[in-house]
Amino acid sequence: MAPHETETIPDALRAWAVNWADYAPVDITPPELRPDSLAREVPDWAERAATPADVHDWPLRQSGALVPFQLDARGWPLHPQGRTGRTGRNLGRWGENAAADPIVVAGHGEYRRLLLITRDDIGVEAIPGGMCEPGETAPATLARELREETGVDLSDHQPSILGRDVVDDWRQSDYAWIASTSAVYRLPDVVPAVAADDAMDVRWWPFGTFDQLATAITTAGRTLYTAHRPLLQRALDHLAQH
């Protein structure tokens, strides 16, 4: 299975309230997050808990979640959108992993441009963004991730928050997922950008319409990150109204 592919769950069986006796999700836990490895060394981007049972602050995590979630009878967190076809953990934390996605646009109308990076983990075109650090607010994460991955510093700009949503990320599982704050930054014109950190490349793309963006990316022999498509469409809808 390619890293950007997700399991397909029938809509009728996705909800946790629906009984599915034969449900057999695939464990996607990488070697470094398996119990034996965590007992020896914990990666600097992950928590030590080998299973959700080792987490003791679920009420706090639930109260601070971007997207509400419930716990099962064992006290394990359940993906807010239902079954994913995956179990285990391939993210830093069990339950919600908060992230931020800064959508930077320059210009107007058919001449509008969008700033995207090429992710170094799966090699696709994506919004520059990433995980919130402990105690970090979403606005701070938006500005930090943008600066770290593109060199563009918009810390003195006030973005328009589009929403707080679960992201269909390839690393999600039934017990660990990403919820992101997405926001739009508007600039009068493009500014210099340099790929760094988790970005292999950075480029301004045509963004008059979604079809224009998709065609440009395909023509360049590249692929747009599937999970970011709805976020970019929401940004276009927002821009059309403001």
Side-chain angles (χ1 to χ4, degrees):
M1 178 184 298
H4 58 279
E5 292 178 343
T6 57
E7 297 291 339
T8 300
I9 302 297
D11 289 342
L13 296 173
R14 186 173 298 278
W16 292 110
V18 177
N19 183 49
W20 187 359
D22 297 327
Y23 180 52
V26 177
D27 191 342
I28 62 168
T29 306
E32 64 268 26
L33 293 183
R34 295 192 179 278
D36 56 342
S37 296
L38 289 173
R40 296 191 301 270
E41 180 182 5
V42 181
D44 58 9
W45 50 271
E47 64 181 353
R48 180 178 295 276
T51 75
D54 300 314
V55 175
H56 305 294
D57 64 345
W58 285 119
L60 181 62
R61 296 192 188 196
Q62 286 180 290
S63 66
L66 295 177
V67 178
F69 66 91
Q70 303 299 317
L71 305 179
D72 66 13
R74 297 173 296 176
W76 288 30
L78 293 174
H79 193 293
Q81 296 178 343
R83 296 181 175 95
T84 65
R86 297 176 169 203
T87 189
R89 172 170 65 113
N90 194 12
L91 291 164
R93 289 160 56 93
W94 292 103
E96 181 180 279
N97 291 257
D101 289 304
I103 301 171
V104 183
V105 297
H108 302 275
E110 63 180 305
Y111 301 107
R112 188 163 51 220
R113 294 293 182 268
L114 169 70
L115 186 65
L116 295 178
I117 64 166
T118 305
R119 287 176 52 153
D120 66 2
D121 55 353
I122 52 178
V124 298
E125 306 309 295
I127 300 166
M131 302 298 181
C132 297
E133 296 181 348
E136 186 177 46
T137 64
T141 303
L142 288 164
R144 176 181 57 77
E145 286 289 343
L146 180 63
R147 182 175 60 253
E148 290 178 355
E149 295 188 349
T150 71
V152 176
D153 188 352
L154 298 182
S155 55
D156 59 345
H157 286 61
Q158 184 67 36
S160 297
I161 302 297
L162 295 179
R164 297 170 177 85
D165 309 276
V166 173
V167 178
D168 184 19
D169 189 272
W170 62 275
R171 294 162 293 181
Q172 70 179 342
S173 74
D174 290 351
Y175 307 114
W177 59 90
I178 296 174
S180 177
T181 298
S182 57
V184 171
Y185 289 87
R186 302 186 69 172
L187 302 177
D189 204 351
V190 299
V191 296
V194 179
D197 196 33
D198 297 329
M200 291 192 301
D201 191 16
V202 61
R203 183 185 299 192
W204 289 96
W205 296 91
F207 196 49
T209 65
F210 190 86
D211 286 344
Q212 184 186 36
L213 171 67
T215 298
I217 290 175
T218 300
T219 300
R222 303 194 181 190
T223 303
L224 180 61
Y225 187 32
T226 301
H228 285 171
R229 288 173 174 265
L231 300 183
L232 294 174
Q233 184 58 62
R234 180 185 291 177
L236 283 169
D237 293 343
H238 171 84
L239 293 169
Q241 298 172 8
H242 297 82

